Amino acid sequence: MSEEQPQAPDVMHALPVAEEQASIDAAEESITQPAKLLRIATMVRELLEQTRQTTLDEPGRKRLADIYGRAVGELTEVLSPDLREELEQLAPPMEEVPTEAELRVAQAQLVGWLEGLFHGIQAAMFAQQAAAQAQFAELQRRGLLAAQNPPSDGQDQQDQRRPTQYL
C-alpha cells in the first residue's frame, strides 16, 4: 500500500503580483519545474563549495566549465522568457578553458542569482498567504456582522432560539 505524496505545482511565480496584474504577469516571471530548479541550484552550490577547497588542473577546469554550461542550459528550460534573458545576461557561455577564478566567480554569480530567485518565490508565497488570511478575516467579519443582525421574520427568530449541536 503506497501513499501518493503531493507534487510541487507545475508553475511557480517568481515575484508577487497584484490581482489586476496577475493575468498579465502570469506569462512573465514563472518557473515551470521548481523541483528541477532546486536540484540544479543544489548541484551548483556544491560545485562552488568543492572548487573552493581544491586546485583544479586544466582538464578539471574544462570539465567544470562544461558542467556549468549544461546547468545554465537546463535552467533556461524551466524559466519564463524574461527570467531566461536575465540568466543569459548574467551567465554568458564560457568560450575557452576558464581559470579557477573565472569559474568561481561565474558559479558564485549563478548561486547568488538563484538565491535571489528563491527569495522572490518566498516573498510571493508570503504575499499570497497574507492575502488569503486577509480574505478569510474579511469573510469572518462579514459572517459575524450577519449573525449580529437579527432577521425580521418571526419564524426565523424561533429557529435561532433553538439550541444547536456542535461537533
Side-chain angles (χ1 to χ4, degrees), residues 8-12 30-40 74-75 77-80 118 121:
D10 289 340
V11 175
M12 292 189 100
S30 62
I31 299 164
T32 57
Q33 298 176 25
K36 185 175 184 177
L37 177 77
L38 289 171
R39 287 192 307 271
I40 294 169
E74 291 287 326
L75 284 171
E77 292 177 9
V78 302
L79 299 173
S80 61
F118 295 145
I121 292 169

Side-chain angles (χ1 to χ4, degrees), residues 47-62 64 98-101 103-104:
L47 283 173
L48 179 59
E49 191 60 37
Q50 292 297 321
T51 59
R52 286 182 186 156
Q53 298 174 7
T54 186
T55 303
L56 297 171
D57 58 3
E58 186 174 328
R61 293 191 315 269
K62 182 165 177 33
L64 196 56
T99 65
E100 282 187 51
L103 280 170
R104 289 182 182 141

Side-chain angles (χ1 to χ4, degrees), residues 2 13 23 25 31 34-35 44 47 51 78 82 89 91 98 137-138 140 146 154:
S2 68
H13 297 289
S23 61
D25 292 342
I31 299 164
V44 171
L47 283 173
T51 59
V78 302
D82 57 332
Q89 290 174 358
E138 179 64 20
Q140 281 184 322

Side-chain angles (χ1 to χ4, degrees), residues 84-106:
R84 186 178 307 130
E85 182 180 323
E86 188 177 307
L87 177 62
E88 287 170 357
Q89 290 174 358
L90 175 86
M94 296 183 187
E95 300 297 325
E96 299 173 8
V97 178
T99 65
E100 282 187 51
E102 289 172 324
L103 280 170
R104 289 182 182 141
V105 168

Side-chain angles (χ1 to χ4, degrees), residues 5 16-17 26 32 38 49 55 58 107 123 132 147 154 159-160 166-167:
Q5 300 223 353
V17 294
T32 57
L38 289 171
E49 191 60 37
T55 303
E58 186 174 328
Q107 288 176 316
D159 289 344
Q160 281 188 341
Y166 294 96
L167 297 177

